[in-house]
């Protein structure tokens, strides 16, 4: 017999929609959260050199020291965070870090508070450890989990041990201001909650500077980040866990149960990225920002209500009510008749119902054509109503 928790879990719906829509000929897929940029040359060169120099084996279990050093300096330089190298673990992409952290924290029956809409992996990793998922719909509070809502969730679920924040967010692009983070930290502390802070999009924040809750709640925050989005290094599988000293050992044990070692040459290349990559980040960020500005304007003109997307490379518009379509029907019909693939918002939980996620990690030409196609699709729908 298999793990009973699997009965509550469905395979990734994002990937399923992507595969389904890819079958439509001539479709523009705005479905997947992967940068369209290639890995910058100086990072590739560092990887090639490491291979030629013979760094082709297993890394140490915590990760190559050169990468841990680079990451500690990066956190200090970019976010004024002070971590000791002994409290960092390099993981096989941030996804493995998330899995290890929830495995380390959750005993059967413990609850995890997840503001929705959210990256579906949070629910999956909670359920597989026999944890209880407590979702909070944030669609009425600009996709921000307010301290009041957090408090209410803890009152209703005293077994809640952990809350997961992701900012800027996949799927909404919304982020938390320093003020939001300060009050949230205070409340989480009072409620005796551990915060898992998923900051994988931290370098893609457009109108403000990214701040981390780890600055206000260092003893209770487990910070997750990685190289996938920042340096377009999705395939190199580099992630990090930065944890409070007392949580290091349990998390390290959980890390060792799944993917206990990494790849030496990938770690060396990622060290180069985190040390010397500030300029390439700026270049990619500017391109994403131009695309964001363009599609927010286009979608607003078409009658979509779009929550202010401060970062990442997603927008999360609400489907105009007069079209009378739920998000799954809208996405399916848009794919077939409009030839644009988007992800239905409800895939990200209750807070995403009646929205769609559009990824703008694709070229401006494709985005321009996609906006025209969506406009035409909506006009045709209105005319046939
Ligand atoms: N967190 C969020 C919010 C994400 O969107 C993703 C990637 N889609 C990840 C974590 C995982 O990234 P990776 O495993 O590639 O580091």
């Amino acid at each position: 017999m298999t793990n009973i928790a699997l009965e509550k879990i469905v395979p990734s719906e994002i990937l399923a929609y992507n595969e389904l829509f890819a079958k439509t000929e001539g479709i523009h897929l705005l479905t997947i959260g992967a940068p369209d940029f290639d890995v910058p040359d100086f990072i590739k060169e560092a990887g090639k050199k490491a291979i030629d120099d013979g760094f082709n084996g297993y890394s140490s279990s915590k990760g190559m020291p050169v990468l841990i050093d680079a990451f500690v300096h990066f956190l200090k330089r970019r976010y004024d965070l002070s971590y000791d190298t002994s409290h960092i673990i390099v993981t096989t992409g941030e996804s493995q870090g998330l899995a290890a952290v929830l495995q380390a924290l959750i005993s059967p029956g413990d609850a995890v508070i997840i503001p929705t809409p959210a990256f579906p992996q949070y629910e999956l990793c909670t359920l597989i450890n026999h944890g209880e998922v407590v979702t909070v719909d944030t669609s009425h509070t600009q996709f921000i989990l307010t301290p009041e809502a957090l408090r209410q969730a803890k009152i209703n679920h005293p077994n809640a041990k952990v809350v997961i924040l992701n900012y800027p967010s996949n799927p909404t692009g919304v982020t938390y201001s320093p003020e939001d983070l300060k009050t949230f930290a205070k409340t989480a502390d009072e409620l005796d909650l551990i915060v898992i802070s998923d900051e994988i999009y931290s370098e893609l924040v457009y109108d403000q500077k990214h701040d981390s809750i780890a600055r206000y709640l260092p003893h209770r925050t487990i910070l997750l980040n990685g190289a996938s989005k920042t340096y377009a290094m999705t395939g190199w599988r580099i992630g990090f866990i930065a944890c409070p000293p007392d949580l290091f050992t349990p998390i390290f044990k959980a890390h060792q149960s799944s993917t206990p070692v990494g790849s030496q040459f990938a770690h060396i290349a990622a060290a180069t990225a985190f040390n010397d990559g500030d300029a390439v980040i700026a270049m990619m960020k500017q391109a994403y920002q131009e695309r964001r500005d363009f599609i927010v304007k286009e979608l607003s003109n078409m009658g979509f209500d779009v929550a202010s997307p401060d970062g990442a490379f997603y927008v999360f518009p609400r489907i105009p009510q007069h079209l009378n379509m739920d998000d799954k029907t809208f996405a399916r019909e848009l794919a077939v008749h409009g030839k644009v693939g988007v992800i239905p918002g409800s895939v990200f939980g209750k807070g995403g119902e009646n929205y769609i996620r559009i990824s703008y990690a694709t070229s401006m030409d494709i985005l321009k054509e996609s906006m025209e196609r969506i406009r035409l699709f909506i006009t045709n729908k209105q005319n046939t109503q």
Side-chain angles (χ1 to χ4, degrees), residues 286-320:
Q286 181 167 353
Y288 288 133
Q289 183 165 357
E290 282 165 16
R291 299 170 189 177
R292 178 203 64 166
D293 292 348
F294 169 71
I295 61 172
V296 168
K297 195 164 127 237
E298 290 286 307
L299 290 168
S300 304
N301 286 344
M302 285 181 230
F304 285 89
D305 194 8
V306 191
S308 156
D310 309 301
F313 34 59
Y314 309 104
V315 292
F316 204 64
R318 191 181 163 86
I319 300 161

Side-chain angles (χ1 to χ4, degrees), residues 93-95 119 122 166 170 198 200-201 228-229 237:
E94 204 217 80
S95 307
F119 183 45
Y122 305 143
N166 167 224
N170 172 8
D198 180 348
I200 189 99
Y201 297 99
S228 288
K229 318 290 172 171
R237 310 311 298 131

Side-chain angles (χ1 to χ4, degrees), residues 239-259:
F240 299 94
I241 307 170
C243 44
D246 59 325
L247 288 174
F248 178 83
T249 302
I251 292 173
F252 189 51
K253 286 186 200 168
H255 160 70
Q256 291 202 326
S257 79
S258 54
T259 315

